[in-house]
Amino acid sequence: MNEFADQYREIASTMPSEDERIACYNEFLLDRLENIMPGLLAEEEFDAWMVIGRENNEDPIIRTLLPGSFYGASRITAFLFTKNNRFVLSPHGSQLSGYYESAWKVEDGDIFDSIGKLLSDLKVRTLGVDFSDNFALADGITVSLFQSLKRKLSDEVTLVSAENIAVNWLQTRSEKEIEVYRNLDRIAHVIIRNAFSRDNITPGVTKTRDIELLLKKLAYDIGLKTWFGPDVDFQRKGVEDARCTGLIEEGDLLHCDFGFMYNGLATDTQQVFYLKKEGYDDLKLGLAEVIRRTNEVQNILARNFREGITGNELLRVSLEDAKVKGLEAAIYSHPVGYHGHGAGPVIGLWNNQDRISGAGDLKIRNMTCFAMELNCRTRLSLWDEQNVYGFLEETVAFTDNEIDYLDGRQKELFLI
């Protein structure tokens, strides 16, 4: 009996309609503009922040500033934020009332003339725009738009990088968003547990690709969109490759990496399953130790999370603590939010367990969410001392100097 199939059906029956989703997204947008944006602007030294993009080549931040029924910039669209005002310059600016004050209409002529006049009226001398050497998500202004601004603006206006506010706008979550994340994390767990069941896996018949497609279908059928893969692989006694794909057999240690988007928020989850082989209960106990040791690495990382520490320092102290405990760990955690690989401090990379320039130098901030992604390598005596990896990942929130496992975490070996 697959209890998670029943839970999935229950979730499917209660998923909001498209109109309900848009209404919820718009409520959160207004909340963010009114309660998050002012605090971020207060941290900056420039007078105003402009996010500007052209249709079909938008600054990635533009989508996060538009209501849910809009899909991107129209022609050229610009948003301007000061400590006291929010403006939009767009052919559809009048449709954004309630969120922004419209400062341009098509019949006004050249949008850059209107931008120049608006900046002059507001006495803006330093204007933050989205260019960055370090962060793609904060590097959204195109060369042509940057040059157009330079040509049209008064020499009294200096263009400066808005890298910090761009990253912080993308990574900072509201309390309402974190509660939505809590439900999304539960949905992710239910979909995964539903897929990894005897209802869906027949040893010697089912392939890893079949489960990947099933995970994608289970997400799409309830209105979710996967943002990568999903990826399914296995570890097998006698095979050194820790990420095997193909035909699934009894005795395999299965692993999935699964993430989806819902209403502008991305999840990222990895779990591990043992496809039980008759007569091998002792092996289950050995594999359970793999999960326990990986949980220990999670505990170490969670303990070291604190506001103000850089991603690089968090990685260094956590790896040192793991080594003291005899754990062969690798940590490669990253922010999640509007993007799966989101803006904010990176804590290691799967191929770099040393200092990471740029993203690793950013400091951990309150009210942010991460994919706590890592593994721990364990030599398994019942597999003739073969290395076995515990690949685990959970979407977590960091609030008030604590890690919140939104829907819990895997703390035991899941059996199929």
Side-chain angles (χ1 to χ4, degrees):
M1 179 179 177
N2 181 5
E3 62 178 294
F4 294 98
D6 294 334
Q7 292 183 29
Y8 174 80
R9 284 189 287 271
E10 179 184 349
I11 288 169
S13 69
T14 58
M15 288 297 286
S17 68
E18 182 69 12
D19 283 346
E20 289 170 334
R21 292 187 192 197
I22 290 173
C24 181
Y25 184 91
N26 292 348
E27 177 189 342
F28 289 3
L29 171 61
L30 190 58
D31 177 48
R32 288 176 58 81
L33 290 172
E34 293 182 344
N35 297 309
I36 293 178
M37 184 68 77
L40 299 181
L41 287 165
E43 296 180 25
E44 301 298 331
E45 295 183 356
F46 48 66
D47 297 324
W49 178 32
M50 174 168 283
V51 181
I52 184 169
R54 180 181 288 120
E55 186 174 356
N56 296 323
N57 192 25
E58 291 95 341
D59 182 318
I61 292 178
I62 281 182
R63 182 65 192 86
T64 74
L65 300 174
L66 288 166
S69 56
F70 287 74
Y71 294 96
S74 179
R75 302 187 192 177
I76 293 175
T77 292
F79 298 88
L80 184 74
F81 301 94
T82 70
K83 291 178 175 61
N84 300 309
N85 304 98
R86 303 192 302 265
F87 298 96
V88 65
L89 297 93
S90 166
H92 302 298
S94 61
Q95 299 176 34
L96 299 174
S97 62
Y99 304 94
Y100 308 97
E101 179 182 343
S102 179
W104 177 76
K105 303 184 295 295
V106 173
E107 52 267 32
D108 291 337
D110 189 338
I111 191 172
F112 291 99
D113 289 337
S114 293
I115 290 173
K117 182 178 185 305
L118 179 60
L119 295 176
S120 177
D121 291 345
L122 295 170
K123 296 182 172 54
V124 170
R125 295 294 177 264
T126 52
L127 178 65
V129 292
D130 294 342
F131 63 88
S132 169
D133 290 333
N134 296 311
F135 310 108
L137 291 170
D139 195 34
I141 190 169
T142 63
V143 171
S144 61
L145 290 177
F146 186 85
Q147 290 175 340
S148 295
L149 283 174
K150 290 282 286 184
R151 283 195 301 268
K152 289 286 187 174
L153 297 186
S154 163
D155 292 338
E156 295 179 352
V157 178
T158 301
L159 300 180
V160 298
S161 172
E163 176 181 278
N164 289 337
I165 193 171
V167 169
N168 291 335
W169 167 255
L170 292 174
Q171 74 167 322
T172 305
R173 305 268 66 84
S174 67
E175 291 182 3
K176 294 178 180 179
E177 287 175 309
I178 288 176
E179 286 311 304
V180 169
Y181 251 136
R182 197 175 303 281
N183 187 47
L184 298 184
D185 199 33
R186 174 178 176 265
I187 292 173
H189 289 159
V190 169
I191 288 177
I192 292 170
R193 296 294 296 273
N194 184 12
F196 284 83
S197 69
R198 286 281 181 170
D199 290 348
N200 299 309
I201 297 177
T202 302
V205 175
T206 305
K207 297 178 180 179
T208 53
R209 181 59 176 161
D210 298 328
I211 306 304
E212 290 173 348
L213 293 174
L214 176 60
L215 287 167
K216 186 183 287 282
K217 182 178 187 303
L218 290 171
Y220 273 53
D221 284 353
I222 58 174
L224 308 172
K225 182 179 181 181
T226 54
W227 62 270
F228 69 91
D231 300 321
V232 174
D233 48 66
F234 59 81
Q235 298 175 75
R236 180 177 292 167
K237 182 180 179 180
V239 180
E240 290 296 332
D241 186 358
R243 302 293 294 270
C244 296
T245 58
L247 199 63
I248 297 170
E249 302 286 358
E250 284 188 342
D252 287 344
L253 186 67
L254 297 169
H255 158 257
C256 73
D257 192 353
F258 173 61
F260 60 79
M261 299 292 302
Y262 174 86
N263 246 18
L265 296 176
T267 70
D268 205 355
T269 309
Q270 294 182 47
Q271 293 190 328
V272 179
F273 295 79
Y274 174 52
L275 185 56
K276 190 175 184 299
K277 191 171 185 177
E278 293 302 321
Y280 281 79
D281 286 344
D282 288 344
L283 182 60
K284 179 194 74 173
L285 297 176
L287 288 170
E289 179 68 4
V290 174
I291 302 301
R292 188 197 68 76
R293 287 166 61 84
T294 309
N295 284 159
E296 272 297 300
V297 180
Q298 290 177 323
N299 294 342
I300 289 168
L301 183 58
R303 283 197 299 269
N304 287 324
F305 247 92
R306 65 179 183 274
E307 194 168 355
I309 191 174
T310 68
N312 285 327
E313 182 68 4
L314 179 53
L315 173 69
R316 184 187 66 79
V317 297
S318 296
L319 289 177
E320 287 178 354
D321 289 351
K323 186 175 181 180
V324 168
K325 287 183 172 289
L327 302 170
E328 296 186 64
I331 297 171
Y332 34 98
S333 302
H334 57 87
V336 290
Y338 287 117
H339 305 88
H341 289 158
V346 169
I347 310 158
L349 296 171
W350 67 268
N351 61 339
N352 183 359
Q353 293 292 279
D354 204 345
R355 182 181 181 277
I356 298 158
S357 179
D361 295 321
L362 292 179
K363 295 179 179 180
I364 302 293
R365 291 171 64 97
N366 190 37
M367 298 299 289
T368 51
C369 290
F370 288 83
M372 184 183 278
E373 183 178 11
L374 46 78
N375 74 65
C376 184
R377 184 173 65 181
T378 301
R379 289 189 178 277
L380 194 63
S381 59
L382 289 169
W383 276 16
D384 300 327
E385 301 301 323
Q386 182 176 322
N387 284 320
V388 179
Y389 293 81
F391 296 111
L392 294 181
E393 182 175 21
E394 291 292 350
T395 304
V396 302
F398 177 70
T399 62
D400 299 325
N401 270 326
E402 291 188 356
I403 287 291
D404 181 352
Y405 293 96
L406 297 164
D407 184 54
R409 55 173 170 153
Q410 181 173 357
K411 298 175 70 173
E412 61 181 331
L413 181 64
F414 294 148
L415 300 181
I416 302 175

